[in-house]
Amino acid sequence: MKKIVFAIALCLGMSSMNAQTAEELKAKKAEKQAEADAIQAEANAIQAQIDALPGWKKGAFGTIGGSISEFSNWYAQGIPNNSSGNIGFTVNAFANLNQEKFFWNNSANVNLAWVKLDNTDDPTDSDKFREATDVFNISSLYGRKLSEKFAISGLAEYRTTILSNFNDPGYLDVGVGATWTPITNLVVVIHPLNYNFVFADNDTVFESSLGAKIVADYTRSIGAINFKTNLSMFQSYKSSDYSNWTWTNSFSYTLWKMIGVGFDFGLRQNKQEAVNFNLAQGNTGTTFDNVDNKLQSYWTIGLSYNL
């Protein structure tokens, strides 16, 4: 009986010791975590001071995604013998010059993807990759500072596709107005005097016009996280049929050195493109008044890189 009581007491004592040790370790961890958070806050503050210094700031990050597969006699699907694949990548690059009296911000966004689905039982089926996502956008913003947060500015922005139908359509916005930088890394452009040049073979649908340009861009790096969002809008003074907007977003999280995981998605609405597409599909009765101007979108997920 004494041995049983002793064993129970020993077990209870060991449990108490383990519990006490676990609580002590948790308390020590919390203390160290608080110290680490304080150090990280100091590091972020120093980085903010570095970012505010005059001179060039350059960088690039993006996402790479893809897969390749082959099926043989896989009868559960409609095409039992096929080879398929998809590959895509995005690039977000910037080169910004900040000086005491002016700034010059330059950026580029490229998103390209290819896909294929080859039915190996059909000799006429193509075994080649074909373009899927096709986005190309470059911009240059120059501003003469009136104060810390406001500047008189000029913007040139060009966007098109490059894998197919290069510059058909292509859009070039050139305008002047004001730029507002309310917080670090956020740039808001408001240009009431902007001309939207449209380059296209089908000049019965696409038309250049004068209007207002609004751009909001936020680019931020926080530790292992890179983030960029860009909204570009053109409001035509001639007709809302010639207005358009594009919103792109890129996220990446670095896991090891320059490699991590990334996600990109974009939205766009452009009535001229909707009319042109429907006419090209043989819908000859399509006009600006009856076209279904659907929301355009894309997304890419995969490995990310940070340069």
Side-chain angles (χ1 to χ4, degrees):
M1 187 65 182
K2 291 182 179 180
K3 292 182 178 180
I4 296 175
V5 173
F6 178 76
I8 294 174
L10 181 62
C11 291
L12 291 174
M14 292 179 64
S15 298
S16 176
M17 289 176 62
N18 288 336
Q20 185 179 6
T21 301
E23 291 301 324
E24 290 175 352
L25 291 174
K26 289 179 180 179
K28 184 176 292 186
K29 178 185 176 183
E31 181 182 345
K32 296 298 182 183
Q33 186 63 54
E35 294 176 359
D37 292 341
I39 294 173
Q40 185 61 54
E42 292 178 8
N44 292 340
I46 294 173
Q47 184 61 51
Q49 294 176 7
I50 294 174
D51 294 338
L53 291 175
W56 282 99
K57 301 293 187 301
K58 302 175 183 178
F61 70 97
T63 303
I64 300 174
S67 67
I68 297 176
S69 63
E70 184 168 343
F71 289 85
S72 179
N73 301 321
W74 200 264
Y75 297 116
Q77 59 188 16
I79 305 176
N81 300 295
N82 73 78
S83 63
S84 63
N86 66 81
I87 184 170
F89 69 91
T90 64
V91 177
N92 295 283
F94 66 90
N96 300 335
L97 176 62
N98 183 31
Q99 296 290 355
E100 181 180 355
K101 296 184 178 181
F102 72 91
F103 62 83
W104 183 25
N105 295 347
N106 304 276
S107 64
N109 172 254
V110 181
N111 188 319
L112 306 176
W114 297 261
V115 298
K116 81 165 183 174
L117 175 59
D118 175 29
N119 183 354
T120 55
D121 292 329
D122 182 358
T124 64
D125 200 20
S126 175
D127 62 350
K128 297 180 179 179
F129 282 87
R130 59 189 181 123
E131 58 271 9
T133 306
D134 193 354
V135 178
F136 178 79
N137 186 306
I138 57 174
S139 67
S140 183
L141 174 69
Y142 177 84
R144 198 73 183 178
K145 296 180 181 179
L146 300 177
S147 66
E148 183 180 347
K149 297 185 182 298
F150 288 95
I152 299 299
S153 57
L155 171 70
E157 181 186 73
Y158 176 71
R159 59 193 183 281
T160 185
T161 55
I162 57 178
L163 297 179
S164 64
N165 302 324
F166 175 72
N167 206 40
D168 183 23
Y171 304 91
L172 174 63
D173 281 295
V174 179
V176 293
T179 294
W180 178 41
T181 53
I183 60 174
T184 305
N185 302 313
L186 174 61
V187 179
V188 179
V189 179
I190 303 174
H191 286 178
L193 185 60
N194 181 90
Y195 200 82
N196 178 235
F197 295 92
V198 184
F199 311 99
D201 293 339
N202 188 355
D203 55 9
T204 62
V205 173
F206 294 98
E207 185 172 337
S208 303
S209 64
L210 182 69
K213 183 74 173 181
I214 298 175
V215 176
D217 184 277
Y218 186 75
T219 305
R220 183 80 184 272
S221 294
I222 307 174
I225 299 174
N226 290 290
F227 170 80
K228 178 180 177 66
T229 182
N230 179 278
L231 175 65
S232 178
M233 305 175 64
F234 171 73
Q235 179 63 49
S236 174
Y237 294 147
K238 185 173 185 178
S239 170
S240 61
D241 292 338
Y242 305 137
S243 302
N244 60 76
W245 61 269
T246 302
W247 183 36
T248 58
N249 299 269
S250 298
F251 307 86
S252 72
Y253 183 81
T254 304
L255 298 173
W256 178 73
K257 293 187 177 180
M258 296 184 297
I259 305 299
V261 293
F263 176 67
D264 292 76
F265 77 90
L267 302 173
R268 178 163 66 188
Q269 207 158 36
N270 188 314
K271 207 168 188 179
Q272 294 178 95
E273 293 178 354
V275 172
N276 184 65
F277 177 79
N278 278 272
L279 291 174
Q281 296 300 306
N283 301 320
T284 55
T286 301
T287 66
F288 282 104
D289 294 328
N290 62 25
V291 68
D292 184 8
N293 186 20
K294 296 181 179 179
L295 182 66
Q296 305 173 43
S297 65
Y298 72 82
W299 62 269
T300 303
I301 188 169
L303 294 176
S304 67
Y305 58 89
N306 181 25
L307 302 178

Coordinates of all heavy atoms in Angstrom, one line a residue, residues 202-284:
N202 N -9.5 48.4 -85.8 CA -10.9 48.6 -85.9 C -11.2 50.0 -85.3 O -11.6 50.2 -84.2 CB -11.7 47.5 -85.1 CG -13.2 47.6 -85.4 OD1 -13.7 48.6 -86.1 ND2 -13.9 46.7 -84.9
D203 N -11.1 51.0 -86.2 CA -11.3 52.4 -85.8 C -12.7 52.8 -85.7 O -13.1 53.9 -85.3 CB -10.5 53.4 -86.6 CG -10.8 53.2 -88.1 OD1 -11.8 52.5 -88.4 OD2 -10.1 53.9 -88.9
T204 N -13.6 51.8 -86.1 CA -15.1 52.1 -85.9 C -15.5 51.9 -84.5 O -16.6 52.3 -84.1 CB -15.9 51.2 -86.9 OG1 -15.7 49.8 -86.6 CG2 -15.5 51.5 -88.3
V205 N -14.7 51.1 -83.7 CA -15.1 50.8 -82.3 C -14.2 51.6 -81.4 O -14.7 52.2 -80.4 CB -15.0 49.3 -82.0 CG1 -15.2 49.0 -80.5 CG2 -16.0 48.5 -82.9
F206 N -12.9 51.6 -81.6 CA -11.9 52.2 -80.7 C -11.8 53.7 -81.2 O -11.6 54.0 -82.3 CB -10.6 51.5 -80.7 CG -10.7 50.1 -80.2 CD1 -10.8 49.0 -81.0 CD2 -10.6 49.9 -78.8 CE1 -10.9 47.7 -80.4 CE2 -10.7 48.6 -78.3 CZ -10.8 47.5 -79.1
E207 N -11.8 54.6 -80.2 CA -11.6 56.0 -80.4 C -10.9 56.7 -79.3 O -11.1 56.4 -78.1 CB -13.0 56.6 -80.7 CG -12.9 58.1 -81.1 CD -14.3 58.6 -81.5 OE1 -15.2 57.9 -81.8 OE2 -14.4 59.9 -81.4
S208 N -9.9 57.5 -79.7 CA -9.2 58.3 -78.7 C -10.1 59.5 -78.2 O -11.0 59.9 -78.9 CB -7.9 58.9 -79.3 OG -7.1 57.8 -79.8
S209 N -9.8 59.9 -77.0 CA -10.6 61.0 -76.4 C -9.9 61.7 -75.3 O -9.0 61.1 -74.7 CB -12.0 60.5 -76.0 OG -11.9 59.5 -74.9
L210 N -10.4 62.9 -75.0 CA -10.0 63.6 -73.8 C -10.8 63.3 -72.6 O -12.0 63.1 -72.7 CB -10.1 65.1 -74.1 CG -9.6 66.1 -73.1 CD1 -8.1 66.0 -73.0 CD2 -10.0 67.5 -73.4
G211 N -10.1 63.2 -71.4 CA -10.8 62.9 -70.2 C -10.0 63.1 -69.0 O -8.9 63.8 -69.0
A212 N -10.4 62.5 -67.9 CA -9.7 62.6 -66.6 C -9.0 61.3 -66.3 O -9.6 60.2 -66.5 CB -10.6 63.0 -65.5
K213 N -7.9 61.3 -65.7 CA -7.1 60.1 -65.3 C -6.9 60.1 -63.8 O -6.5 61.1 -63.2 CB -5.7 60.1 -66.0 CG -4.9 58.9 -65.7 CD -5.4 57.7 -66.5 CE -4.5 56.5 -66.4 NZ -5.0 55.3 -67.1
I214 N -7.2 58.9 -63.2 CA -7.1 58.8 -61.8 C -6.3 57.5 -61.6 O -6.6 56.4 -62.1 CB -8.4 58.7 -61.0 CG1 -9.2 60.0 -61.2 CG2 -8.2 58.4 -59.5 CD1 -10.5 60.0 -60.6
V215 N -5.2 57.5 -60.8 CA -4.4 56.4 -60.5 C -4.1 56.3 -59.0 O -3.8 57.4 -58.4 CB -3.0 56.4 -61.3 CG1 -2.1 55.2 -60.9 CG2 -3.2 56.4 -62.8
A216 N -4.2 55.2 -58.4 CA -3.9 55.0 -57.0 C -2.9 53.8 -56.9 O -3.3 52.7 -57.4 CB -5.1 54.8 -56.1
D217 N -1.8 54.0 -56.4 CA -0.8 52.9 -56.3 C -0.2 52.8 -54.9 O 0.2 53.8 -54.3 CB 0.4 53.1 -57.3 CG 1.4 52.0 -57.4 OD1 2.3 51.9 -56.5 OD2 1.2 51.2 -58.3
Y218 N -0.2 51.5 -54.4 CA 0.4 51.3 -53.1 C 1.3 50.1 -53.2 O 0.9 49.0 -53.5 CB -0.7 51.0 -52.1 CG -0.2 50.9 -50.6 CD1 0.2 52.0 -49.9 CD2 -0.2 49.7 -50.0 CE1 0.6 52.0 -48.6 CE2 0.3 49.6 -48.7 CZ 0.7 50.7 -48.0 OH 1.1 50.6 -46.7
T219 N 2.6 50.3 -52.9 CA 3.6 49.3 -52.9 C 4.3 49.2 -51.6 O 4.8 50.3 -51.1 CB 4.6 49.5 -54.0 OG1 3.9 49.7 -55.3 CG2 5.6 48.4 -54.1
R220 N 4.4 48.0 -51.0 CA 4.9 48.0 -49.6 C 5.6 46.6 -49.4 O 5.2 45.6 -49.9 CB 3.7 48.1 -48.6 CG 4.2 48.1 -47.1 CD 4.6 49.4 -46.7 NE 5.1 49.4 -45.3 CZ 4.4 49.6 -44.2 NH1 3.1 49.8 -44.4 NH2 4.9 49.6 -43.0
S221 N 6.7 46.7 -48.7 CA 7.4 45.5 -48.2 C 7.5 45.5 -46.7 O 8.0 46.5 -46.1 CB 8.8 45.4 -48.8 OG 8.8 45.3 -50.2
I222 N 7.0 44.4 -46.1 CA 7.0 44.3 -44.6 C 7.7 43.0 -44.3 O 7.0 41.9 -44.4 CB 5.6 44.4 -44.0 CG1 4.9 45.7 -44.5 CG2 5.7 44.4 -42.5 CD1 3.5 45.7 -44.0
G223 N 8.9 43.0 -44.0 CA 9.6 41.7 -43.7 C 9.6 40.8 -44.9 O 10.1 41.2 -45.9
A224 N 9.0 39.7 -44.7 CA 9.0 38.7 -45.8 C 7.8 38.9 -46.8 O 7.7 38.2 -47.8 CB 8.9 37.3 -45.2
I225 N 7.0 39.9 -46.5 CA 5.8 40.1 -47.3 C 6.0 41.3 -48.3 O 6.5 42.4 -48.0 CB 4.6 40.5 -46.5 CG1 4.3 39.3 -45.5 CG2 3.3 40.8 -47.3 CD1 3.2 39.6 -44.5
N226 N 5.7 41.1 -49.6 CA 5.7 42.1 -50.6 C 4.2 42.3 -51.1 O 3.6 41.3 -51.4 CB 6.6 41.7 -51.8 CG 8.0 41.8 -51.4 OD1 8.6 42.8 -51.1 ND2 8.7 40.6 -51.3
F227 N 3.8 43.5 -51.3 CA 2.4 43.8 -51.7 C 2.4 45.0 -52.6 O 3.1 46.0 -52.4 CB 1.6 44.0 -50.4 CG 0.2 44.6 -50.7 CD1 -0.8 43.7 -51.1 CD2 -0.1 45.9 -50.6 CE1 -2.1 44.2 -51.3 CE2 -1.3 46.4 -50.9 CZ -2.4 45.5 -51.2
K228 N 1.6 44.8 -53.7 CA 1.4 46.0 -54.6 C 0.0 45.9 -55.1 O -0.5 44.9 -55.6 CB 2.3 45.9 -55.8 CG 2.2 47.0 -56.8 CD 3.1 46.9 -58.0 CE 2.9 48.0 -59.0 NZ 3.2 49.3 -58.5
T229 N -0.7 47.1 -55.1 CA -2.0 47.2 -55.7 C -2.0 48.5 -56.5 O -1.5 49.5 -56.1 CB -3.1 47.2 -54.6 OG1 -4.4 47.3 -55.3 CG2 -3.0 48.4 -53.7
N230 N -2.7 48.4 -57.7 CA -2.7 49.6 -58.6 C -4.0 49.7 -59.3 O -4.5 48.7 -59.9 CB -1.6 49.4 -59.7 CG -1.6 50.6 -60.6 OD1 -2.3 50.6 -61.6 ND2 -0.7 51.5 -60.4
L231 N -4.7 50.8 -59.1 CA -5.9 51.1 -59.8 C -5.7 52.3 -60.8 O -5.3 53.3 -60.4 CB -7.0 51.5 -58.7 CG -8.3 52.0 -59.3 CD1 -9.0 50.8 -60.0 CD2 -9.2 52.5 -58.2
S232 N -6.0 52.0 -62.0 CA -5.9 53.0 -63.1 C -7.2 53.2 -63.8 O -7.8 52.2 -64.4 CB -4.8 52.5 -64.1 OG -4.7 53.4 -65.2
M233 N -7.7 54.4 -63.8 CA -9.0 54.7 -64.3 C -8.9 55.9 -65.3 O -8.2 56.9 -65.1 CB -10.0 55.1 -63.2 CG -10.2 54.1 -62.1 SD -11.2 54.7 -60.8 CE -12.8 54.9 -61.6
F234 N -9.7 55.8 -66.4 CA -9.8 56.9 -67.4 C -11.3 57.1 -67.6 O -12.1 56.2 -67.9 CB -9.2 56.5 -68.7 CG -9.5 57.5 -69.8 CD1 -8.9 58.8 -69.7 CD2 -10.4 57.3 -70.8 CE1 -9.2 59.8 -70.7 CE2 -10.7 58.2 -71.8 CZ -10.1 59.4 -71.7
Q235 N -11.7 58.4 -67.3 CA -13.1 58.8 -67.5 C -13.2 59.8 -68.7 O -12.7 60.9 -68.6 CB -13.7 59.5 -66.3 CG -15.1 59.9 -66.4 CD -16.1 58.8 -66.7 OE1 -16.1 57.8 -65.9 NE2 -16.9 59.0 -67.7
S236 N -13.7 59.3 -69.8 CA -13.8 60.1 -71.1 C -14.8 61.2 -70.9 O -15.9 61.0 -70.4 CB -14.1 59.2 -72.3 OG -14.3 60.0 -73.4
Y237 N -14.4 62.4 -71.4 CA -15.3 63.6 -71.4 C -16.3 63.5 -72.6 O -17.4 64.0 -72.6 CB -14.6 64.9 -71.5 CG -13.8 65.2 -70.3 CD1 -12.6 65.9 -70.3 CD2 -14.2 64.8 -69.0 CE1 -11.8 66.2 -69.2 CE2 -13.5 65.1 -67.9 CZ -12.3 65.8 -68.0 OH -11.5 66.1 -66.8
K238 N -15.9 62.7 -73.6 CA -16.7 62.6 -74.8 C -17.9 61.6 -74.6 O -19.0 61.9 -75.0 CB -15.8 62.1 -76.0 CG -16.6 62.1 -77.3 CD -15.6 61.7 -78.5 CE -16.3 61.8 -79.8 NZ -15.4 61.5 -81.0
S239 N -17.6 60.5 -74.0 CA -18.7 59.5 -73.8 C -18.2 58.4 -72.8 O -17.0 58.0 -72.8 CB -19.1 58.8 -75.1 OG -19.9 57.7 -74.9
S240 N -19.1 58.0 -72.0 CA -18.7 56.9 -71.0 C -18.4 55.6 -71.7 O -17.7 54.7 -71.1 CB -19.8 56.7 -70.0 OG -21.0 56.3 -70.7
D241 N -18.8 55.5 -73.0 CA -18.4 54.3 -73.8 C -16.9 54.1 -73.9 O -16.4 53.0 -74.2 CB -19.1 54.3 -75.1 CG -20.6 54.2 -75.1 OD1 -21.1 53.7 -74.0 OD2 -21.3 54.6 -76.0
Y242 N -16.2 55.3 -73.8 CA -14.7 55.2 -74.1 C -14.0 55.2 -72.7 O -12.7 55.3 -72.7 CB -14.3 56.4 -74.9 CG -15.1 56.5 -76.2 CD1 -15.5 57.7 -76.7 CD2 -15.3 55.4 -77.0 CE1 -16.2 57.8 -77.9 CE2 -16.0 55.4 -78.2 CZ -16.5 56.7 -78.6 OH -17.2 56.7 -79.8
S243 N -14.7 55.1 -71.6 CA -14.0 55.1 -70.3 C -13.6 53.6 -70.0 O -14.1 52.7 -70.6 CB -15.0 55.5 -69.2 OG -15.4 56.9 -69.5
N244 N -12.6 53.5 -69.1 CA -12.1 52.1 -68.8 C -11.4 52.2 -67.4 O -11.0 53.3 -67.0 CB -11.2 51.6 -69.8 CG -10.0 52.4 -70.1 OD1 -9.0 52.4 -69.3 ND2 -10.0 53.2 -71.2
W245 N -11.3 51.1 -66.8 CA -10.5 51.0 -65.6 C -9.8 49.6 -65.4 O -10.4 48.6 -65.9 CB -11.3 51.3 -64.3 CG -12.5 50.4 -64.1 CD1 -13.8 50.5 -64.5 CD2 -12.5 49.1 -63.3 NE1 -14.6 49.4 -64.1 CE2 -13.8 48.6 -63.4 CE3 -11.5 48.4 -62.6 CZ2 -14.1 47.4 -62.7 CZ3 -11.8 47.2 -62.0 CH2 -13.1 46.7 -62.1
T246 N -8.7 49.5 -64.8 CA -8.0 48.3 -64.5 C -7.4 48.3 -63.1 O -6.9 49.3 -62.6 CB -6.8 48.1 -65.5 OG1 -7.3 48.2 -66.8 CG2 -6.1 46.8 -65.2
W247 N -7.6 47.2 -62.4 CA -7.2 47.1 -61.0 C -6.3 45.8 -60.9 O -6.9 44.7 -61.1 CB -8.3 47.0 -60.0 CG -7.9 47.0 -58.6 CD1 -6.9 47.6 -58.0 CD2 -8.6 46.3 -57.5 NE1 -6.8 47.3 -56.6 CE2 -7.9 46.5 -56.3 CE3 -9.8 45.5 -57.5 CZ2 -8.3 46.0 -55.1 CZ3 -10.2 44.9 -56.3 CH2 -9.4 45.2 -55.1
T248 N -5.0 45.9 -60.6 CA -4.2 44.8 -60.4 C -3.6 44.7 -59.0 O -3.4 45.7 -58.4 CB -3.0 44.8 -61.4 OG1 -2.3 46.0 -61.2 CG2 -3.5 44.8 -62.9
N249 N -3.4 43.4 -58.5 CA -2.9 43.2 -57.2 C -1.9 42.1 -57.2 O -2.1 41.1 -57.9 CB -4.0 42.8 -56.3 CG -5.1 43.9 -56.1 OD1 -5.0 44.7 -55.3 ND2 -6.1 43.8 -57.0
S250 N -0.8 42.2 -56.5 CA 0.2 41.2 -56.3 C 0.6 41.1 -54.9 O 0.9 42.1 -54.2 CB 1.5 41.6 -57.2 OG 1.1 41.7 -58.6
F251 N 0.7 39.8 -54.4 CA 1.2 39.5 -53.1 C 2.3 38.4 -53.2 O 2.2 37.5 -54.0 CB 0.0 38.9 -52.2 CG -1.2 39.8 -52.2 CD1 -2.2 39.6 -53.2 CD2 -1.4 40.7 -51.2 CE1 -3.3 40.4 -53.1 CE2 -2.6 41.5 -51.1 CZ -3.5 41.3 -52.1
S252 N 3.2 38.5 -52.3 CA 4.2 37.4 -52.2 C 4.7 37.3 -50.8 O 4.8 38.3 -50.1 CB 5.4 37.7 -53.2 OG 6.2 38.7 -52.7
Y253 N 5.0 36.1 -50.4 CA 5.6 35.8 -49.1 C 6.8 35.0 -49.2 O 6.8 33.9 -49.7 CB 4.5 35.1 -48.2 CG 5.0 34.9 -46.8 CD1 4.9 35.9 -45.8 CD2 5.6 33.7 -46.4 CE1 5.4 35.7 -44.5 CE2 6.0 33.4 -45.1 CZ 5.9 34.5 -44.2 OH 6.4 34.3 -42.9
T254 N 7.9 35.6 -48.8 CA 9.2 34.9 -48.9 C 9.4 33.8 -47.9 O 9.3 34.1 -46.7 CB 10.4 35.9 -48.9 OG1 10.2 36.9 -49.8 CG2 11.7 35.2 -49.1
L255 N 9.7 32.6 -48.3 CA 9.9 31.5 -47.4 C 11.3 31.2 -47.1 O 11.8 30.9 -46.0 CB 9.2 30.2 -47.9 CG 7.7 30.3 -48.1 CD1 7.1 29.0 -48.8 CD2 7.0 30.5 -46.7
W256 N 12.1 31.3 -48.2 CA 13.6 31.0 -48.1 C 14.3 31.8 -49.1 O 14.1 31.8 -50.3 CB 13.8 29.5 -48.4 CG 15.2 29.1 -48.3 CD1 16.0 28.9 -47.2 CD2 16.0 28.7 -49.5 NE1 17.3 28.5 -47.6 CE2 17.3 28.4 -49.0 CE3 15.8 28.7 -50.8 CZ2 18.4 28.0 -49.8 CZ3 16.9 28.3 -51.7 CH2 18.1 28.0 -51.1
K257 N 15.2 32.7 -48.6 CA 16.0 33.6 -49.4 C 15.1 34.4 -50.3 O 14.3 35.2 -49.8 CB 17.1 32.8 -50.2 CG 18.1 32.1 -49.3 CD 19.3 31.5 -50.1 CE 20.3 31.0 -49.2 NZ 21.5 30.4 -49.9
M258 N 15.2 34.2 -51.6 CA 14.3 35.0 -52.5 C 13.1 34.3 -53.0 O 12.3 34.8 -53.8 CB 15.1 35.5 -53.7 CG 16.3 36.4 -53.4 SD 17.1 37.0 -54.8 CE 17.8 35.5 -55.6
I259 N 12.9 33.1 -52.5 CA 11.8 32.2 -53.0 C 10.7 32.1 -52.0 O 10.9 32.1 -50.8 CB 12.3 30.8 -53.3 CG1 13.5 30.9 -54.3 CG2 11.2 29.9 -53.9 CD1 13.2 31.5 -55.6
G260 N 9.4 32.1 -52.5 CA 8.3 32.0 -51.6 C 7.0 31.6 -52.3 O 7.1 31.0 -53.4
V261 N 5.9 32.1 -51.9 CA 4.6 31.8 -52.6 C 4.0 33.2 -52.9 O 4.2 34.2 -52.2 CB 3.7 31.0 -51.7 CG1 4.2 29.6 -51.5 CG2 3.4 31.7 -50.3
G262 N 3.3 33.2 -54.1 CA 2.7 34.4 -54.5 C 1.4 34.3 -55.1 O 1.0 33.2 -55.5
F263 N 0.6 35.4 -55.2 CA -0.7 35.4 -55.7 C -1.0 36.7 -56.4 O -0.7 37.8 -55.8 CB -1.8 35.2 -54.6 CG -3.2 35.2 -55.1 CD1 -3.7 34.3 -55.9 CD2 -4.0 36.3 -54.7 CE1 -5.0 34.3 -56.3 CE2 -5.3 36.4 -55.1 CZ -5.8 35.4 -55.9
D264 N -1.5 36.6 -57.6 CA -1.8 37.8 -58.4 C -3.2 37.7 -58.9 O -3.6 36.6 -59.4 CB -0.8 38.0 -59.6 CG 0.6 38.3 -59.2 OD1 1.3 37.3 -58.8 OD2 1.0 39.4 -59.3
F265 N -3.9 38.8 -58.9 CA -5.2 38.9 -59.6 C -5.5 40.3 -60.1 O -4.9 41.3 -59.6 CB -6.3 38.4 -58.6 CG -6.8 39.4 -57.6 CD1 -7.8 40.3 -57.9 CD2 -6.2 39.4 -56.4 CE1 -8.3 41.2 -56.9 CE2 -6.6 40.3 -55.4 CZ -7.7 41.2 -55.7
G266 N -6.3 40.3 -61.1 CA -6.6 41.6 -61.7 C -8.1 41.7 -62.2 O -8.7 40.6 -62.6
L267 N -8.6 42.9 -62.2 CA -10.0 43.1 -62.7 C -9.9 44.3 -63.7 O -9.1 45.2 -63.6 CB -10.9 43.5 -61.6 CG -11.1 42.5 -60.5 CD1 -11.9 43.0 -59.3 CD2 -11.7 41.2 -61.0
R268 N -10.8 44.2 -64.7 CA -10.8 45.3 -65.7 C -12.2 45.4 -66.3 O -12.9 44.4 -66.5 CB -9.8 45.1 -66.8 CG -9.8 46.2 -67.9 CD -8.5 46.2 -68.7 NE -8.3 45.0 -69.5 CZ -7.2 44.8 -70.2 NH1 -6.2 45.6 -70.1 NH2 -7.1 43.7 -70.9
Q269 N -12.6 46.6 -66.8 CA -13.8 46.8 -67.5 C -13.5 47.8 -68.6 O -13.0 48.9 -68.3 CB -14.9 47.2 -66.6 CG -16.3 46.9 -67.1 CD -17.4 46.8 -66.0 OE1 -17.3 47.6 -65.1 NE2 -18.3 45.9 -66.1
N270 N -13.9 47.4 -69.9 CA -13.6 48.3 -71.0 C -14.6 48.0 -72.1 O -14.6 46.9 -72.7 CB -12.2 48.0 -71.6 CG -11.7 49.0 -72.6 OD1 -12.5 49.3 -73.5 ND2 -10.5 49.5 -72.5
K271 N -15.5 48.9 -72.3 CA -16.7 48.7 -73.2 C -16.2 48.6 -74.6 O -16.8 47.8 -75.4 CB -17.7 49.9 -73.0 CG -19.1 49.5 -73.4 CD -20.1 50.5 -72.9 CE -21.5 50.1 -73.1 NZ -22.5 51.1 -72.6
Q272 N -15.2 49.3 -75.0 CA -14.7 49.2 -76.4 C -14.2 47.8 -76.7 O -14.4 47.3 -77.8 CB -13.6 50.3 -76.6 CG -14.0 51.7 -76.5 CD -12.9 52.7 -76.7 OE1 -12.6 53.2 -77.8 NE2 -12.2 53.0 -75.6
E273 N -13.5 47.2 -75.7 CA -13.0 45.9 -75.9 C -14.1 44.9 -76.0 O -14.0 43.9 -76.8 CB -12.0 45.5 -74.8 CG -10.7 46.3 -74.8 CD -9.8 45.9 -73.7 OE1 -10.2 45.2 -72.8 OE2 -8.6 46.4 -73.6
A274 N -15.1 45.1 -75.2 CA -16.3 44.2 -75.2 C -17.0 44.2 -76.6 O -17.4 43.1 -77.1 CB -17.3 44.5 -74.1
V275 N -17.2 45.4 -77.1 CA -17.9 45.5 -78.4 C -17.0 44.9 -79.5 O -17.5 44.1 -80.4 CB -18.1 47.0 -78.8 CG1 -18.6 47.1 -80.2 CG2 -19.1 47.6 -77.8
N276 N -15.7 45.1 -79.5 CA -14.8 44.6 -80.5 C -14.8 43.1 -80.5 O -14.8 42.4 -81.5 CB -13.4 45.2 -80.3 CG -12.4 44.7 -81.4 OD1 -12.6 45.1 -82.5 ND2 -11.4 43.9 -81.0
F277 N -14.7 42.5 -79.2 CA -14.7 41.1 -79.1 C -16.0 40.4 -79.7 O -15.9 39.4 -80.4 CB -14.5 40.7 -77.6 CG -14.5 39.2 -77.4 CD1 -13.4 38.4 -77.6 CD2 -15.7 38.6 -76.9 CE1 -13.4 37.1 -77.4 CE2 -15.7 37.2 -76.7 CZ -14.6 36.4 -76.9
N278 N -17.1 41.0 -79.3 CA -18.4 40.4 -79.8 C -18.5 40.5 -81.3 O -19.0 39.6 -82.0 CB -19.5 41.1 -79.1 CG -19.8 40.6 -77.8 OD1 -20.6 39.6 -77.6 ND2 -19.2 41.2 -76.7
L279 N -18.0 41.6 -81.9 CA -18.1 41.7 -83.4 C -17.1 40.7 -84.0 O -17.5 40.1 -85.0 CB -17.7 43.1 -83.8 CG -18.7 44.2 -83.5 CD1 -18.1 45.6 -83.8 CD2 -20.0 44.0 -84.2
A280 N -16.0 40.4 -83.4 CA -15.0 39.5 -83.9 C -15.6 38.0 -83.8 O -15.2 37.2 -84.6 CB -13.7 39.6 -83.2
Q281 N -16.5 37.8 -82.9 CA -17.1 36.5 -82.7 C -18.3 36.3 -83.7 O -19.0 35.2 -83.6 CB -17.6 36.3 -81.3 CG -16.5 36.3 -80.3 CD -15.5 35.1 -80.5 OE1 -15.8 34.0 -80.6 NE2 -14.2 35.5 -80.6
G282 N -18.6 37.3 -84.5 CA -19.6 37.1 -85.5 C -21.0 37.7 -85.0 O -22.0 37.6 -85.8
N283 N -21.0 38.4 -83.9 CA -22.2 39.0 -83.4 C -22.3 40.4 -84.0 O -22.0 41.4 -83.4 CB -22.2 39.1 -81.9 CG -22.1 37.7 -81.2 OD1 -22.7 36.8 -81.7 ND2 -21.3 37.7 -80.1
T284 N -22.8 40.5 -85.3 CA -22.7 41.7 -86.1 C -23.6 42.8 -85.5 O -23.5 43.9 -85.9 CB -23.0 41.4 -87.5 OG1 -24.3 40.7 -87.6 CG2 -22.0 40.5 -88.1

